[in-house]
Amino acid sequence: RMPSLAACYNLMDFEAVARQVMKKTAWAYYSSGADDEITMRENHAAFHKIWFRPRILVDVENIDMSTTMLGTKCSIPFYVTATALGKLGNPEGEVVLTRAAHQHDVVQMIPTLASCSFDEIVDAKQGDQVQWLQLYVNKDREITRKIVAHAEKRGCKGLFITVDAPQLGRREKDMRSKFSDAGSNVQAGDGGVDRSQGAARAISSFIDPALSWKDIPWFQSITKMPIVLKGVQCVEDVLRAVEAGVDGVVLSNHGGRQLETARSGIEVLAEVMPALRERGWENKIEVFVDGGVRRATDILKALCLGAKGVGIGRPFLYAMSAYGLDGVDRAMQLLKDEMEMNMRLIGAARIEDLNPSLLDTRALLGG
Ligand code: FNR
């Protein structure tokens, strides 16, 4: 029996329902991580190694959780990150996420490998709603150039180039469940689809493993959208990204679906921000984090450390698969309610009030 939506009190509850009601293939694709899923579990577990140092007697009557990301205003510092194949979980696919994002004034990142076409997802946008494009770079750069130019023309406000997937990770749950039809749109260009390898590998053969730092100036020459590297995993590469003049980085391990035993994004953030501050570079680049964000306390920890915003992936897929638009709507509202309460309890009325002194990171950094 399907639990009622009102019985979902947090983002983990949607996962439990989705696991019961989703088709096996879809569940396998969404929930899988690489190899033994150690990184996937660590993504959330790492947040538990950070403790709060709240401040008392701060006026927290009025909480303002609005902020900006890449220069655009949003109601709360999280965005719907790019996750491929939305129609595996819901027949309407990614446009469901678009509608929920609109209701909550939240940014949506559109995946290259969406089930809906790119134009369908942009057409579902309302008012001055903001969308970004997640890009898998094609071996045929002319295809990539066209995708980027089209996204810019259709009003996308950020280009997120995925840099942690020169080859798709080994997701064994997904591989065991044979992929037949994920309703993927072909415009990403496939060819040579091998359906015996699970959904992920079947659709990803066009991605260019030769992509390198040398390509960054080319991207800067073909678009005016801010460029963000998605999947950066150490301080050296963040510093290099600043030197390359990119506008942002997402500290991410792709939800634990790529390199197994890669570190969590939040741990990398704790390494990155002091190095940026030391150089006076903290305003040269916007730093985002994703992976394992399930609670507003997770969002707050990332922001205290210095992130501009966080990406959330699976929870919205699960909410959409189990309950459609109402599910995603409730998931976002739950996060907003948690955020308001926890900002009060921390003693921070505005996003600008969040800073490292509100955290005790000894357990995270101490080894
Ligand atoms: C992803 N992710 C991803 N990233 C990307 O750059 N391009 C993509 O096509 C996809 N596809 C995708 C599918 C599914 C089912 C998942 C779960 C994830 C990674 C995603 O953007 C993000 O990094 C993680 O999902 C964040 O972790 P959580 O929030 O899922 O724990």
Side-chain angles (χ1 to χ4, degrees):
R1 210 165 47 86
M2 178 96 167
S4 82
L5 179 54
C8 289
Y9 288 105
N10 60 54
L11 268 53
M12 279 74 75
D13 288 344
F14 291 97
E15 176 167 353
V17 177
R19 183 187 198 126
Q20 290 172 36
V21 303
M22 283 179 73
K23 274 192 273 170
K24 269 211 168 61
T25 335
W27 168 258
Y29 177 66
Y30 286 178
S31 66
S32 59
D35 298 8
D36 303 306
E37 305 189 334
I38 295 167
T39 288
M40 186 175 82
R41 285 190 294 276
E42 172 66 9
N43 278 347
H44 183 63
F47 286 103
H48 304 157
K49 298 179 205 159
I50 303 175
W51 301 86
F52 284 114
R53 305 176 69 246
R55 296 309 145 87
I56 54 164
L57 298 176
V58 178
D59 175 354
V60 288
E61 188 177 357
N62 299 308
I63 298 292
D64 180 2
M65 61 183 94
S66 66
T67 185
T68 61
M69 293 189 273
L70 300 179
T72 48
K73 257 201 114 204
C74 46
S75 66
I76 180 166
F78 72 76
Y79 57 88
V80 180
T81 190
T83 50
L85 302 182
K87 285 189 183 171
L88 281 181
N90 183 298
E92 289 192 85
E94 292 80 9
V95 296
V96 176
L97 301 174
T98 312
R99 292 181 197 125
H102 169 71
Q103 286 175 13
H104 286 276
D105 193 12
V106 159
V107 179
Q108 175 190 26
M109 193 191 300
I110 303 175
T112 293
L113 294 175
S115 299
C116 298
S117 73
F118 173 81
D119 281 317
E120 283 172 317
I121 302 171
V122 176
D123 289 342
K125 182 170 81 158
Q126 296 170 64
D128 53 7
Q129 184 175 0
V130 175
Q131 293 174 321
W132 297 330
L133 175 69
Q134 175 269 326
L135 186 71
Y136 276 133
V137 179
N138 200 300
K139 287 171 196 152
D140 181 344
R141 287 296 193 279
E142 185 53 20
I143 294 177
T144 288
R145 195 193 58 74
K146 282 190 182 139
I147 290 173
V148 172
H150 184 65
E152 184 165 347
K153 197 174 111 217
R154 298 277 347 243
C156 279
K157 297 282 185 261
L159 178 66
F160 286 66
I161 306 173
T162 299
V163 293
D164 59 12
Q167 174 177 348
L168 263 277
R170 215 182 134 78
R171 305 158 196 172
E172 296 172 10
K173 227 189 286 166
D174 182 39
M175 292 164 81
R176 281 194 189 98
S177 124
K178 303 273 184 280
F179 167 66
S180 56
D181 175 30
S184 72
N185 74 90
V186 268
Q187 73 177 17
D190 49 8
V193 167
D194 177 358
R195 294 181 189 283
S196 70
Q197 293 284 296
R201 291 200 170 180
I203 57 173
S204 61
S205 48
F206 69 92
I207 300 172
D208 188 1
L211 183 70
S212 81
W213 287 105
K214 286 190 220 132
D215 294 295
I216 302 300
W218 179 75
F219 286 104
Q220 290 163 327
S221 78
I222 63 165
T223 185
K224 291 196 174 64
M225 289 185 281
I227 293 175
V228 181
L229 304 181
K230 177 177 181 294
V232 179
Q233 303 193 49
C234 66
V235 64
E236 290 90 332
D237 280 345
V238 174
L239 298 178
R240 191 152 182 192
V242 174
E243 283 162 357
V246 306
D247 303 280
V249 288
V250 186
L251 307 177
S252 166
N253 52 42
H254 213 110
R257 295 160 76 83
Q258 288 296 105
L259 177 66
E260 174 66 315
T261 64
R263 296 179 297 168
S264 66
I266 191 77
E267 181 171 340
V268 177
L269 179 67
E271 167 182 283
V272 162
M273 294 313 302
L276 288 176
R277 290 194 187 103
E278 201 176 287
R279 291 166 177 77
W281 288 3
E282 67 272 26
N283 295 320
K284 283 197 170 201
I285 194 159
E286 294 198 2
V287 180
F288 302 93
V289 186
D290 76 27
V293 175
R294 300 293 179 266
R295 290 277 192 187
T297 46
D298 303 334
I299 303 175
L300 286 164
K301 287 170 185 179
L303 266 83
C304 284
L305 283 174
K308 210 49 191 154
V310 304
I312 301 180
R314 290 185 186 85
F316 298 138
L317 287 178
Y318 296 144
M320 174 180 90
S321 304
Y323 301 102
L325 177 60
D326 290 347
V328 188
D329 173 39
R330 180 162 171 90
M332 290 182 177
Q333 190 57 48
L334 285 169
L335 280 173
K336 284 184 167 172
D337 294 347
E338 285 187 14
M339 188 82 170
E340 181 172 4
M341 182 190 74
N342 285 300
M343 285 177 73
R344 282 213 176 93
L345 297 180
I346 291 169
R350 299 164 311 153
I351 296 299
E352 303 82 72
D353 300 334
L354 301 170
N355 67 73
S357 81
L358 294 169
L359 301 179
D360 179 341
T361 53
R362 285 175 302 171
L364 179 74
L365 304 174

mmCIF file of all heavy atoms in Angstrom, residues 49-79:
data_model
loop_
_atom_site.group_PDB
_atom_site.id
_atom_site.type_symbol
_atom_site.label_atom_id
_atom_site.label_comp_id
_atom_site.label_asym_id
_atom_site.label_seq_id
_atom_site.Cartn_x
_atom_site.Cartn_y
_atom_site.Cartn_z
ATOM 1 N N LYS A 49 29.836 14.470 10.366
ATOM 2 C CA LYS A 49 31.099 14.739 11.056
ATOM 3 C C LYS A 49 31.266 16.237 11.331
ATOM 4 O O LYS A 49 32.312 16.665 11.817
ATOM 5 C CB LYS A 49 32.278 14.238 10.215
ATOM 6 C CG LYS A 49 32.250 12.731 9.992
ATOM 7 C CD LYS A 49 33.442 12.300 9.133
ATOM 8 C CE LYS A 49 33.160 11.012 8.390
ATOM 9 N NZ LYS A 49 34.034 10.836 7.231
ATOM 10 N N ILE A 50 30.270 17.013 10.957
ATOM 11 C CA ILE A 50 30.321 18.455 11.226
ATOM 12 C C ILE A 50 29.236 18.772 12.258
ATOM 13 O O ILE A 50 28.098 18.317 12.124
ATOM 14 C CB ILE A 50 30.056 19.267 9.943
ATOM 15 C CG1 ILE A 50 31.055 18.891 8.850
ATOM 16 C CG2 ILE A 50 30.116 20.760 10.240
ATOM 17 C CD1 ILE A 50 30.773 19.568 7.516
ATOM 18 N N TRP A 51 29.627 19.539 13.271
ATOM 19 C CA TRP A 51 28.690 19.914 14.339
ATOM 20 C C TRP A 51 28.507 21.423 14.343
ATOM 21 O O TRP A 51 29.404 22.169 13.945
ATOM 22 C CB TRP A 51 29.225 19.413 15.693
ATOM 23 C CG TRP A 51 29.400 17.921 15.704
ATOM 24 C CD1 TRP A 51 30.503 17.236 15.279
ATOM 25 C CD2 TRP A 51 28.444 16.942 16.093
ATOM 26 N NE1 TRP A 51 30.280 15.878 15.385
ATOM 27 C CE2 TRP A 51 29.027 15.670 15.884
ATOM 28 C CE3 TRP A 51 27.141 17.002 16.605
ATOM 29 C CZ2 TRP A 51 28.367 14.469 16.174
ATOM 30 C CZ3 TRP A 51 26.481 15.808 16.890
ATOM 31 C CH2 TRP A 51 27.087 14.569 16.687
ATOM 32 N N PHE A 52 27.350 21.846 14.824
ATOM 33 C CA PHE A 52 27.076 23.293 14.885
ATOM 34 C C PHE A 52 27.579 23.917 16.178
ATOM 35 O O PHE A 52 27.597 23.266 17.227
ATOM 36 C CB PHE A 52 25.574 23.556 14.752
ATOM 37 C CG PHE A 52 25.067 23.420 13.340
ATOM 38 C CD1 PHE A 52 24.182 22.419 13.005
ATOM 39 C CD2 PHE A 52 25.485 24.309 12.351
ATOM 40 C CE1 PHE A 52 23.708 22.282 11.704
ATOM 41 C CE2 PHE A 52 25.024 24.188 11.045
ATOM 42 C CZ PHE A 52 24.134 23.171 10.715
ATOM 43 N N ARG A 53 27.936 25.192 16.068
ATOM 44 C CA ARG A 53 28.253 26.028 17.222
ATOM 45 C C ARG A 53 27.292 27.221 17.181
ATOM 46 O O ARG A 53 27.672 28.321 16.775
ATOM 47 C CB ARG A 53 29.709 26.513 17.160
ATOM 48 C CG ARG A 53 30.730 25.369 17.029
ATOM 49 C CD ARG A 53 32.156 25.875 16.861
ATOM 50 N NE ARG A 53 32.669 26.490 18.058
ATOM 51 C CZ ARG A 53 32.981 27.773 18.177
ATOM 52 N NH1 ARG A 53 32.822 28.610 17.157
ATOM 53 N NH2 ARG A 53 33.440 28.249 19.304
ATOM 54 N N PRO A 54 26.023 27.001 17.552
ATOM 55 C CA PRO A 54 25.007 28.043 17.372
ATOM 56 C C PRO A 54 25.260 29.271 18.255
ATOM 57 O O PRO A 54 25.930 29.170 19.284
ATOM 58 C CB PRO A 54 23.713 27.340 17.781
ATOM 59 C CG PRO A 54 24.143 26.235 18.679
ATOM 60 C CD PRO A 54 25.476 25.790 18.184
ATOM 61 N N ARG A 55 24.738 30.400 17.834
ATOM 62 C CA ARG A 55 24.805 31.633 18.626
ATOM 63 C C ARG A 55 23.439 31.929 19.218
ATOM 64 O O ARG A 55 22.422 31.737 18.542
ATOM 65 C CB ARG A 55 25.256 32.810 17.755
ATOM 66 C CG ARG A 55 26.660 32.662 17.209
ATOM 67 C CD ARG A 55 27.676 32.333 18.306
ATOM 68 N NE ARG A 55 28.709 31.438 17.785
ATOM 69 C CZ ARG A 55 29.804 31.871 17.163
ATOM 70 N NH1 ARG A 55 30.026 33.154 17.006
ATOM 71 N NH2 ARG A 55 30.685 30.998 16.714
ATOM 72 N N ILE A 56 23.474 32.416 20.462
ATOM 73 C CA ILE A 56 22.228 32.709 21.168
ATOM 74 C C ILE A 56 21.930 34.199 21.145
ATOM 75 O O ILE A 56 22.795 35.026 20.829
ATOM 76 C CB ILE A 56 22.297 32.242 22.637
ATOM 77 C CG1 ILE A 56 23.535 32.851 23.313
ATOM 78 C CG2 ILE A 56 22.327 30.717 22.705
ATOM 79 C CD1 ILE A 56 23.503 32.780 24.821
ATOM 80 N N LEU A 57 20.690 34.515 21.490
ATOM 81 C CA LEU A 57 20.245 35.896 21.636
ATOM 82 C C LEU A 57 20.524 36.745 20.395
ATOM 83 O O LEU A 57 20.987 37.873 20.470
ATOM 84 C CB LEU A 57 20.860 36.537 22.889
ATOM 85 C CG LEU A 57 20.448 35.849 24.199
ATOM 86 C CD1 LEU A 57 21.159 36.475 25.393
ATOM 87 C CD2 LEU A 57 18.931 35.903 24.402
ATOM 88 N N VAL A 58 20.301 36.111 19.249
ATOM 89 C CA VAL A 58 20.322 36.837 17.978
ATOM 90 C C VAL A 58 18.860 37.011 17.582
ATOM 91 O O VAL A 58 18.063 36.094 17.771
ATOM 92 C CB VAL A 58 21.053 36.010 16.893
ATOM 93 C CG1 VAL A 58 21.032 36.729 15.547
ATOM 94 C CG2 VAL A 58 22.477 35.691 17.326
ATOM 95 N N ASP A 59 18.500 38.174 17.084
ATOM 96 C CA ASP A 59 17.118 38.383 16.647
ATOM 97 C C ASP A 59 16.855 37.556 15.386
ATOM 98 O O ASP A 59 17.367 37.878 14.311
ATOM 99 C CB ASP A 59 16.897 39.875 16.385
ATOM 100 C CG ASP A 59 15.505 40.158 15.814
ATOM 101 O OD1 ASP A 59 14.767 39.194 15.518
ATOM 102 O OD2 ASP A 59 15.180 41.345 15.661
ATOM 103 N N VAL A 60 16.097 36.485 15.548
ATOM 104 C CA VAL A 60 15.807 35.604 14.409
ATOM 105 C C VAL A 60 14.305 35.548 14.118
ATOM 106 O O VAL A 60 13.787 34.551 13.643
ATOM 107 C CB VAL A 60 16.371 34.181 14.646
ATOM 108 C CG1 VAL A 60 17.884 34.187 14.550
ATOM 109 C CG2 VAL A 60 15.898 33.603 15.986
ATOM 110 N N GLU A 61 13.635 36.659 14.425
ATOM 111 C CA GLU A 61 12.197 36.670 14.153
ATOM 112 C C GLU A 61 11.945 36.529 12.648
ATOM 113 O O GLU A 61 11.147 35.716 12.213
ATOM 114 C CB GLU A 61 11.576 37.962 14.692
ATOM 115 C CG GLU A 61 10.070 37.918 14.610
ATOM 116 C CD GLU A 61 9.406 39.162 15.197
ATOM 117 O OE1 GLU A 61 10.137 40.035 15.728
ATOM 118 O OE2 GLU A 61 8.172 39.251 15.097
ATOM 119 N N ASN A 62 12.634 37.344 11.870
ATOM 120 C CA ASN A 62 12.454 37.295 10.414
ATOM 121 C C ASN A 62 13.642 36.615 9.756
ATOM 122 O O ASN A 62 14.767 37.111 9.841
ATOM 123 C CB ASN A 62 12.297 38.713 9.857
ATOM 124 C CG ASN A 62 11.083 39.395 10.439
ATOM 125 O OD1 ASN A 62 9.984 38.848 10.402
ATOM 126 N ND2 ASN A 62 11.298 40.561 11.031
ATOM 127 N N ILE A 63 13.361 35.493 9.130
ATOM 128 C CA ILE A 63 14.415 34.735 8.453
ATOM 129 C C ILE A 63 14.339 35.010 6.955
ATOM 130 O O ILE A 63 13.277 34.914 6.344
ATOM 131 C CB ILE A 63 14.243 33.219 8.706
ATOM 132 C CG1 ILE A 63 14.358 32.899 10.196
ATOM 133 C CG2 ILE A 63 15.232 32.409 7.873
ATOM 134 C CD1 ILE A 63 15.735 33.099 10.789
ATOM 135 N N ASP A 64 15.471 35.357 6.367
ATOM 136 C CA ASP A 64 15.540 35.540 4.910
ATOM 137 C C ASP A 64 16.564 34.557 4.348
ATOM 138 O O ASP A 64 17.755 34.711 4.570
ATOM 139 C CB ASP A 64 15.949 36.990 4.586
ATOM 140 C CG ASP A 64 16.026 37.235 3.083
ATOM 141 O OD1 ASP A 64 15.732 36.295 2.298
ATOM 142 O OD2 ASP A 64 16.392 38.357 2.693
ATOM 143 N N MET A 65 16.060 33.538 3.649
ATOM 144 C CA MET A 65 16.970 32.517 3.115
ATOM 145 C C MET A 65 17.233 32.715 1.630
ATOM 146 O O MET A 65 17.816 31.847 0.975
ATOM 147 C CB MET A 65 16.428 31.115 3.400
ATOM 148 C CG MET A 65 15.102 30.823 2.774
ATOM 149 S SD MET A 65 14.487 29.176 3.246
ATOM 150 C CE MET A 65 13.459 29.593 4.642
ATOM 151 N N SER A 66 16.820 33.862 1.088
ATOM 152 C CA SER A 66 17.055 34.090 -0.338
ATOM 153 C C SER A 66 18.526 34.437 -0.571
ATOM 154 O O SER A 66 19.225 34.908 0.325
ATOM 155 C CB SER A 66 16.168 35.225 -0.851
ATOM 156 O OG SER A 66 16.536 36.443 -0.258
ATOM 157 N N THR A 67 18.981 34.181 -1.771
ATOM 158 C CA THR A 67 20.386 34.417 -2.094
ATOM 159 C C THR A 67 20.527 34.574 -3.602
ATOM 160 O O THR A 67 19.523 34.634 -4.315
ATOM 161 C CB THR A 67 21.250 33.245 -1.570
ATOM 162 O OG1 THR A 67 22.626 33.540 -1.777
ATOM 163 C CG2 THR A 67 20.931 31.937 -2.295
ATOM 164 N N THR A 68 21.763 34.659 -4.068
ATOM 165 C CA THR A 68 21.991 34.658 -5.512
ATOM 166 C C THR A 68 22.955 33.530 -5.856
ATOM 167 O O THR A 68 23.822 33.161 -5.057
ATOM 168 C CB THR A 68 22.626 35.975 -6.015
ATOM 169 O OG1 THR A 68 23.886 36.139 -5.382
ATOM 170 C CG2 THR A 68 21.735 37.172 -5.722
ATOM 171 N N MET A 69 22.766 32.970 -7.043
ATOM 172 C CA MET A 69 23.710 31.990 -7.581
ATOM 173 C C MET A 69 23.989 32.392 -9.020
ATOM 174 O O MET A 69 23.043 32.593 -9.789
ATOM 175 C CB MET A 69 23.114 30.571 -7.513
ATOM 176 C CG MET A 69 22.935 30.058 -6.093
ATOM 177 S SD MET A 69 22.479 28.307 -6.029
ATOM 178 C CE MET A 69 20.720 28.408 -6.163
ATOM 179 N N LEU A 70 25.251 32.537 -9.369
ATOM 180 C CA LEU A 70 25.656 33.011 -10.701
ATOM 181 C C LEU A 70 24.887 34.275 -11.086
ATOM 182 O O LEU A 70 24.459 34.438 -12.235
ATOM 183 C CB LEU A 70 25.449 31.925 -11.760
ATOM 184 C CG LEU A 70 26.222 30.622 -11.565
ATOM 185 C CD1 LEU A 70 25.883 29.628 -12.678
ATOM 186 C CD2 LEU A 70 27.733 30.861 -11.508
ATOM 187 N N GLY A 71 24.693 35.143 -10.083
ATOM 188 C CA GLY A 71 24.081 36.438 -10.375
ATOM 189 C C GLY A 71 22.562 36.438 -10.449
ATOM 190 O O GLY A 71 21.965 37.496 -10.632
ATOM 191 N N THR A 72 21.914 35.253 -10.310
ATOM 192 C CA THR A 72 20.454 35.287 -10.325
ATOM 193 C C THR A 72 19.899 35.031 -8.939
ATOM 194 O O THR A 72 20.443 34.235 -8.165
ATOM 195 C CB THR A 72 19.833 34.270 -11.309
ATOM 196 O OG1 THR A 72 20.450 33.006 -11.116
ATOM 197 C CG2 THR A 72 20.001 34.706 -12.733
ATOM 198 N N LYS A 73 18.806 35.709 -8.646
ATOM 199 C CA LYS A 73 18.182 35.579 -7.328
ATOM 200 C C LYS A 73 17.428 34.261 -7.220
ATOM 201 O O LYS A 73 16.843 33.790 -8.194
ATOM 202 C CB LYS A 73 17.200 36.749 -7.107
ATOM 203 C CG LYS A 73 17.784 37.814 -6.179
ATOM 204 C CD LYS A 73 16.724 38.693 -5.549
ATOM 205 C CE LYS A 73 16.643 38.531 -4.108
ATOM 206 N NZ LYS A 73 16.169 38.546 -3.012
ATOM 207 N N CYS A 74 17.440 33.662 -6.043
ATOM 208 C CA CYS A 74 16.621 32.468 -5.821
ATOM 209 C C CYS A 74 16.186 32.452 -4.367
ATOM 210 O O CYS A 74 16.788 33.098 -3.520
ATOM 211 C CB CYS A 74 17.371 31.203 -6.205
ATOM 212 S SG CYS A 74 19.033 31.141 -5.580
ATOM 213 N N SER A 75 15.129 31.686 -4.102
ATOM 214 C CA SER A 75 14.465 31.785 -2.798
ATOM 215 C C SER A 75 15.239 31.078 -1.691
ATOM 216 O O SER A 75 15.054 31.372 -0.521
ATOM 217 C CB SER A 75 13.056 31.185 -2.892
ATOM 218 O OG SER A 75 13.147 29.792 -3.146
ATOM 219 N N ILE A 76 16.070 30.129 -2.060
ATOM 220 C CA ILE A 76 16.768 29.295 -1.075
ATOM 221 C C ILE A 76 18.019 28.740 -1.765
ATOM 222 O O ILE A 76 17.976 28.475 -2.972
ATOM 223 C CB ILE A 76 15.825 28.171 -0.555
ATOM 224 C CG1 ILE A 76 16.491 27.261 0.479
ATOM 225 C CG2 ILE A 76 15.233 27.350 -1.701
ATOM 226 C CD1 ILE A 76 15.515 26.369 1.255
ATOM 227 N N PRO A 77 19.127 28.568 -1.046
ATOM 228 C CA PRO A 77 20.380 28.200 -1.738
ATOM 229 C C PRO A 77 20.528 26.724 -2.107
ATOM 230 O O PRO A 77 21.556 26.117 -1.868
ATOM 231 C CB PRO A 77 21.478 28.635 -0.762
ATOM 232 C CG PRO A 77 20.834 28.833 0.529
ATOM 233 C CD PRO A 77 19.369 28.953 0.347
ATOM 234 N N PHE A 78 19.496 26.138 -2.698
ATOM 235 C CA PHE A 78 19.721 24.857 -3.357
ATOM 236 C C PHE A 78 19.155 24.917 -4.763
ATOM 237 O O PHE A 78 18.307 25.756 -5.065
ATOM 238 C CB PHE A 78 19.130 23.671 -2.568
ATOM 239 C CG PHE A 78 17.630 23.559 -2.580
ATOM 240 C CD1 PHE A 78 16.951 23.090 -3.705
ATOM 241 C CD2 PHE A 78 16.874 23.898 -1.457
ATOM 242 C CE1 PHE A 78 15.562 22.977 -3.721
ATOM 243 C CE2 PHE A 78 15.484 23.788 -1.466
ATOM 244 C CZ PHE A 78 14.834 23.330 -2.604
ATOM 245 N N TYR A 79 19.653 24.057 -5.642
ATOM 246 C CA TYR A 79 19.117 23.941 -6.990
ATOM 247 C C TYR A 79 18.863 22.470 -7.299
ATOM 248 O O TYR A 79 19.415 21.585 -6.656
ATOM 249 C CB TYR A 79 20.068 24.566 -8.025
ATOM 250 C CG TYR A 79 21.458 23.986 -8.027
ATOM 251 C CD1 TYR A 79 21.778 22.867 -8.807
ATOM 252 C CD2 TYR A 79 22.461 24.531 -7.230
ATOM 253 C CE1 TYR A 79 23.057 22.319 -8.798
ATOM 254 C CE2 TYR A 79 23.742 23.986 -7.208
ATOM 255 C CZ TYR A 79 24.028 22.887 -7.995
ATOM 256 O OH TYR A 79 25.288 22.337 -7.975
#
